Amino acid sequence: MSSDIALLDPGHKAAGLTATNVSCWFGTKKVLEGVNLDMAPGQVTALIGPSGCGKSTFLRTLNRMHELVPSATLAGEILIDGVDIYRGAIPVTDVRRRIGMVFQKPNPFPAMTVAENVVAGLKLSGMKVTRAERDHLIESCLTKAGLWNEVKNRLGDPGRALSGGQQQRLCIARSLAVSPQVLLMDEPCSALDPTSTRRIEQTISEISETVTVVIVTHNMQQAQRVSHRCAFFLAAENEPGRIIEEGATREIFSNPVDPRTNDYVNGRFG
Amino acid sequence: MSENILSEGTPVTSTSDVLTPVVRRSRADQIFRGIATTASVTTFILMGLIGTFLLVKGYDALRVAGWSFLTESAWAPDQGGAFGVAAMLPYTVQIALVALVIAVPVALCTALFITEYAPRKLRRILTAMIDLLAAVPSLIYGLWGLFYLQPRLITLSKWMADHLGWVPFFTVDDQYGTSLGLFPSSTFVAGVVVSLMVIPICTVVMREVFSQAPAGEREGAMALGGTRWGVVRDVVLPFGRGGIIGGSMLGLGRAMGETIAVTLIISPSFDAKWSILDQGSNSIAALIALKFSESSTFGISALMAAGLVLFVITLIVNAAASTVVSKSRSGASTEI
């Protein structure tokens, strides 16, 4: 109900996410411990840290993708605008529609055209739109993702016919089409060339007015360029990952409190 | 025009400029290569041998019958009469189609349930059960079908004849009205029993392919707020198209060749007919099994010729299926 209204209401607002004391396990192995993080509405939060420190795992708890892995469990609480996404009244499909996700590897649906890929989310969640609304949605989402000019004459091509960078922007457009309030991005540029990366960073700063963005990145320059706030994750050997430090991006990079943060952001390890 | 990268920009003038890489294979590699090659060549030779054998053995009968072998429906080679597969062949196809019409939807839903919906524990149990069903000998299916299923199934046959008689396949001509005695030993009953044997095979193939649907696409669909059915429809089924067709064709091949269960159930008929519900059916495999022990040399030659027809048709079906499958994504090497 509410999601249908959100879809057709262009004035829908970015939502804030709050994680309280989140811990994660795969089987008996604890991979994340006691994470507290506030992701303010309309802001870009970057999750940084070396590989294997639980950033992506944490990201996947934020829209309930974590639980799709067999044997994965978690504890703690995650609220979207104050409503619990795990125990609250919001169905899981609505949680994932309101909190979208862009993956490390572009994953457009190969059996669909460019245009069909953009509106795939509507079909997947059983929402009906008129033809005019559909066409409008395709153009506006591709424009927001910075792809419209490149593909407006190729809307009928298969999604896989685009280049890697274009595919990733297509995936962003696809996520935006269901009007998410939060967009999670798991190293969205790690498989892309510098030009495509710049294009996607531009898109992120453009959409962040209406969508809260949480981005995992290994690229320190990227974190500095796109994010308002940063959270530094670290896992000591044989221990679960924790947040070492979080705060305004400028502070984290210029004046970190913890020496480990200082070492990491200056490229001394990781 | 291709350019030789080793020629540093100057066009290749003679073939002597082209480098031929020398490949020295290790001993283990050579041995394994030999074994693998031998094994694959053996299957080809085996196919050829079977085809040749049937052709040679059936040659006498085919020379006498000529093309009428495909158009004659009687079977009296031992009595010096006419013989041909014009009745057996349509019956064989009918039985196989009845089996597929039942088996494919059931197998498709079972495979989807196992890969997409079942909790993990149940998934393991179901998979084992299906494998077990595939291992039950067809004689057992035949006996069970004959003594248990058939007496119950003919009630359904009668109901279909009474209420769906306007469908050409279900029309039963009987001036005295329909009675239960009309319906045993029919194409329908044989087809249902064969479908039970085909379901596990189809399910195994489909389940295998569905479980290989790329995780990235599944997650992409989930992350858009997709329902389970949405993921099945937009990711799993398009990806699994090749497996669905491949599994069905494998089932079709099995259904056409099924012998003992069909032999037990049908009462042989040598007049082809559209209706599948009433008594009397036939199949090439059943014919061969029934007549083999009581035929003269010439009669056996005729049976071999019938076997050749079945062999060729099965080959065509499988070749067609593999073409379709190799053109689909799940059939070709999986790209993620």
Side-chain angles (χ1 to χ4, degrees), chain A residues 22-35:
Chain A
V22 172
S23 300
C24 294
W25 293 262
F26 289 113
T28 53
K29 187 174 160 42
K30 195 174 195 178
V31 292
L32 204 61
E33 185 172 88
V35 172

Side-chain angles (χ1 to χ4, degrees), chain B residues 194-332:
Chain B
V194 171
S195 81
L196 300 178
M197 286 173 241
V198 172
I199 286 170
I201 303 168
C202 293
T203 308
V204 168
V205 176
M206 292 181 193
R207 191 203 68 218
E208 189 57 36
V209 175
F210 292 159
S211 67
Q212 285 169 12
E217 284 166 40
R218 273 176 197 275
E219 291 204 326
M222 294 286 228
L224 289 167
T227 55
R228 276 175 188 232
W229 164 238
V231 175
V232 167
R233 186 194 51 204
D234 290 338
V235 176
V236 179
L237 288 180
F239 177 83
R241 207 180 122 248
I244 297 171
I245 296 166
S248 305
M249 290 300 160
L250 203 66
L252 181 61
R254 170 95 200 255
M256 287 205 300
E258 177 46 41
T259 311
I260 191 69
V262 175
T263 314
L264 280 174
I265 286 163
I266 57 161
S267 64
S269 157
F270 292 94
D271 294 305
K273 59 178 191 283
W274 283 110
S275 97
I276 59 168
L277 292 176
D278 54 339
Q279 202 150 39
S281 183
N282 220 327
S283 90
I284 293 180
L287 174 91
I288 296 174
L290 274 174
K291 299 272 180 184
F292 197 76
S293 56
E294 55 188 54
S295 288
S296 64
T297 320
F298 185 71
I300 286 185
S301 173
L303 290 175
M304 291 294 183
L308 182 66
V309 171
L310 185 62
F311 182 70
V312 169
I313 288 176
T314 316
L315 277 189
I316 292 172
V317 167
N318 279 320
S322 60
T323 317
V324 177
V325 171
S326 64
K327 277 185 185 151
S328 76
R329 210 157 58 94
S330 49

Side-chain angles (χ1 to χ4, degrees), chain A residues 42-57:
Chain A
Q43 298 235 303
V44 179
T45 306
L47 311 181
I48 58 171
S51 300
C53 64
K55 311 179 295 289
S56 290
T57 304

Side-chain angles (χ1 to χ4, degrees), chain B residues 35-74:
Chain B
I35 295 173
T37 311
T38 315
S40 57
V41 167
T42 307
T43 42
F44 270 111
I45 294 175
L46 214 55
M47 284 289 276
L49 280 179
I50 293 172
T52 317
F53 167 79
L54 289 172
L55 190 64
V56 169
K57 291 283 185 183
Y59 183 70
D60 282 345
L62 282 176
R63 207 186 41 192
V64 171
W67 287 108
S68 77
F69 190 70
L70 295 176
T71 55
E72 174 60 52
S73 56

Side-chain angles (χ1 to χ4, degrees), chain A residues 60 65 68 70 93 96-97 100-101 103 105 107-112 121 123-125 160 174-175 178, chain B residues 120 215-231 233-235 238 329 335-336:
Chain A
R60 289 168 63 88
M65 294 299 282
L68 293 178
T93 50
R96 294 194 186 122
R97 198 183 314 151
M101 189 166 216
F103 297 82
K105 216 168 170 183
N107 56 355
F109 301 121
M112 297 183 193
K123 198 176 156 212
L124 275 162
S125 49
R160 282 285 164 100
R174 180 176 79 180
S175 302
V178 290
Chain B
R120 280 207 300 159
E217 284 166 40
R218 273 176 197 275
E219 291 204 326
M222 294 286 228
L224 289 167
T227 55
R228 276 175 188 232
W229 164 238
V231 175
R233 186 194 51 204
D234 290 338
V235 176
R329 210 157 58 94
E335 180 200 271
I336 300 174

